[in-house]
Amino acid sequence: MNQASLRIVVVGAGFGGLEFTRALGGAPVRITMIDKRNHHLFQPLLYQVATTALATSEIAWPVRHLLRKRKDVTTLLANVVGIDRAGKKVLLDDGSAVAYDTLLLATGARHAYFGHDEWESFAPGLKTLEDATTVRRRILLAFEQAERETDPAKRQALLTIAIVGGGPTGVELAGTIVELAHDTLHGEFRNIDTRQTRVVLIEAGDRILANFAPKLSDYAGKALERLGVTIELGRAVTRCDAEGVVFGDKQLAAKTILWAAGVAASPAAEWLGAAADRAGRVLVEPDLSVPGSPEIFVIGDAAHVLRPDGRPVPGVAPAAKQQGRHVATTLKARLAGDTVARPFRYRHDGDLATIGKRAAVIDFGWIKLTGWAAWWLWGIAHIYFLIGFRNRLAVSLSWLWIYATGQRSARLITQGDDDKG
């Protein structure tokens, strides 16, 4: 086959898909990028959109704009529904198909409710911009409804926010929401005191931030409690409904429930008819290819690949980007006639989580930081990885304004009616 005719299809314009495409710049290939949304999303700051700190445009960019200078890349806004492995085609929901010689699936993850999908309508997760604006709407509407409520018990339920899951997303949501209620909104209502808002973080394990060193988990817990967050450990959620949440033998009346507990891979394994782990991630070969199909690669949250110590590679942005670069290197080698399979080696850069606007925890392995210094380093790292000077400047100014005044500007209630809000 003529190298110049090599057709590569990338499904997913997330961190992994874009890094793969970037790394293949200049190679004699034609790339088709398919995504069901027209934007690339900086997911680590999604919770800040949900909690009114940032606007959607500050953490998302049109895919076409990002790839505008790449004449070798065609971008398609489409929804993938299957893969024809025998015919080497990506199947779309309108009945059409896109042919490929090499396929990269970088389709990310979705929410997992441990077999209780009916909970989703009561406890939205946080994976997309739509999720973030839905969460923002529910939080703000709860205060608006509490302002009109005269029954004390119903008012307190409206002023109670339950967060399920004590990982980085849950911790960051909890700290930011309590500051929103206690600082930003204080004095703006006449019938309620927003400082009476109760934020409850529920974690089934014995500590929050389980992937961090125990002393950092302990610091984060104490920092959240100083802010006013109630932490409930060691009891799994057994019910979510319009009245609240049940965990262990406790029932919490809460009109706003946020889900940060579990994720499941996209349907990539189903599309391929490939073996998967319990979370639905494709069990890939060490070089990230699909068993029996060396021309298909799966990366990021959709792939199950192990570190040398036997632990799975985490579903974080740095891992997806490393995998995207690895597959690009593999393809460049193949184009040069080198077909030796090279195993992927993950380099862990560290774990970071912020706690409100003045503290964070950072675990780089060789160094561990907490408090104010960690918060500034966390902020610098996130600003660095944003795309474009305008976004870096906008986010920096937004954070400095919040840090100095406690005020958050993105407090608009948008979207249609939401009877669960």
Side-chain angles (χ1 to χ4, degrees):
M1 178 174 53
N2 187 325
Q3 289 182 352
S5 67
L6 186 69
R7 300 166 300 178
I8 299 175
V9 173
V10 179
V11 182
F15 289 105
L18 281 183
E19 184 65 17
F20 167 81
T21 303
R22 184 202 64 78
L24 272 184
V29 299
R30 289 179 293 145
I31 301 173
T32 300
M33 170 76 74
I34 304 174
D35 200 291
K36 62 183 178 181
R37 293 180 173 84
N38 80 328
H39 54 267
H40 167 71
L41 175 65
F42 190 77
Q43 278 194 341
L45 293 181
L46 197 57
Y47 81 96
Q48 296 220 350
V49 172
T51 55
T52 77
L54 297 176
T56 56
S57 61
E58 292 173 332
I59 66 163
W61 306 265
V63 176
R64 290 189 183 281
H65 176 73
L66 295 178
L67 299 174
R68 67 194 183 281
K69 296 181 180 179
R70 292 289 300 276
K71 304 304 181 184
D72 57 324
V73 180
T74 298
T75 302
L76 299 181
L77 181 66
N79 190 29
V80 174
V81 295
I83 306 293
D84 178 359
R85 290 173 71 171
K88 292 189 175 182
K89 295 178 181 179
V90 176
L91 309 178
L92 306 181
D93 63 354
D94 62 359
S96 63
V98 180
Y100 66 85
D101 299 309
T102 297
L103 173 63
L104 178 77
L105 296 176
T107 46
R110 51 190 173 174
H111 311 122
Y113 291 86
F114 311 119
H116 292 278
D117 290 346
E118 69 275 11
W119 293 352
E120 185 172 8
S121 62
F122 305 107
L126 202 55
K127 286 294 179 186
T128 67
L129 283 181
E130 293 87 349
D131 292 337
T133 53
T134 294
V135 168
R136 181 180 67 190
R137 173 182 171 80
R138 292 192 182 195
I139 292 171
L140 295 177
L141 275 179
F143 291 108
E144 297 295 341
Q145 292 168 356
E147 175 79 349
R148 305 196 318 268
E149 182 57 63
T150 57
D151 182 277
K154 292 181 180 179
R155 175 182 286 178
Q156 187 55 58
L158 286 164
L159 293 177
T160 299
I161 298 173
I163 301 169
V164 183
T169 298
V171 167
E172 290 171 341
L173 277 171
T176 307
I177 290 172
V178 78
E179 287 183 341
L180 169 69
H182 292 187
D183 299 335
T184 305
L185 298 179
H186 175 56
E188 295 192 358
F189 293 83
R190 297 296 172 262
N191 299 320
I192 60 172
D193 181 354
T194 59
R195 292 174 300 181
Q196 300 302 312
T197 300
R198 188 181 182 205
V199 178
V200 182
L201 181 62
I202 304 167
E203 166 56 42
D206 59 1
R207 62 187 178 99
I208 61 173
L209 298 179
N211 290 335
F212 288 68
K215 69 176 184 178
L216 296 182
S217 296
D218 184 60
Y219 171 86
K222 291 177 179 177
L224 285 174
E225 288 172 343
R226 283 195 297 270
L227 287 175
V229 176
T230 300
I231 300 175
E232 297 281 357
L233 299 174
R235 284 176 283 204
V237 168
T238 56
R239 192 178 80 213
C240 292
D241 56 29
E243 301 306 315
V245 60
V246 176
F247 52 100
D249 58 353
K250 296 185 66 173
Q251 181 168 354
L252 177 68
K255 288 298 184 180
T256 303
I257 309 169
L258 306 180
W259 191 263
V263 297
S266 69
E270 300 172 25
W271 297 342
L272 295 168
D277 65 9
R278 289 189 300 174
R281 296 173 297 187
V282 178
L283 300 176
V284 297
E285 299 285 4
D287 68 346
L288 305 177
S289 65
V290 174
S293 296
E295 76 283 1
I296 303 177
F297 296 87
V298 184
I299 64 173
D301 289 333
H304 176 95
V305 60
L306 300 178
R307 308 187 204 185
D309 62 7
R311 291 184 297 162
V313 172
V316 294
K321 294 178 73 172
Q322 290 176 36
Q323 290 170 347
R325 287 194 297 269
H326 179 83
V327 176
T329 299
T330 296
L331 289 186
K332 286 180 177 179
R334 289 184 184 180
L335 289 168
D338 182 356
T339 59
V340 175
R342 293 172 174 82
F344 170 70
R345 293 283 183 263
Y346 171 62
R347 184 186 72 256
H348 187 57
D349 294 327
D351 295 307
L352 304 87
T354 184
I355 308 158
K357 64 179 184 179
R358 289 186 175 86
V361 290
I362 293 177
D363 189 350
F364 289 144
W366 57 279
I367 186 172
K368 296 173 175 59
L369 295 174
T370 61
W372 181 82
W375 186 87
W376 278 99
L377 185 56
W378 173 91
I380 291 170
H382 282 71
I383 289 171
Y384 173 79
F385 286 110
L386 288 170
I387 298 174
F389 175 77
R390 187 191 72 83
N391 293 84
R392 293 187 183 117
L393 179 61
V395 171
S396 298
L397 291 175
S398 293
W399 284 351
L400 287 173
W401 182 253
I402 293 169
Y403 188 87
T405 69
Q407 294 303 306
R408 302 162 192 266
S409 59
R411 301 194 338 251
L412 304 180
I413 298 175
T414 58
Q415 300 178 324
D417 293 338
D418 183 352
D419 59 8
K420 298 292 189 302

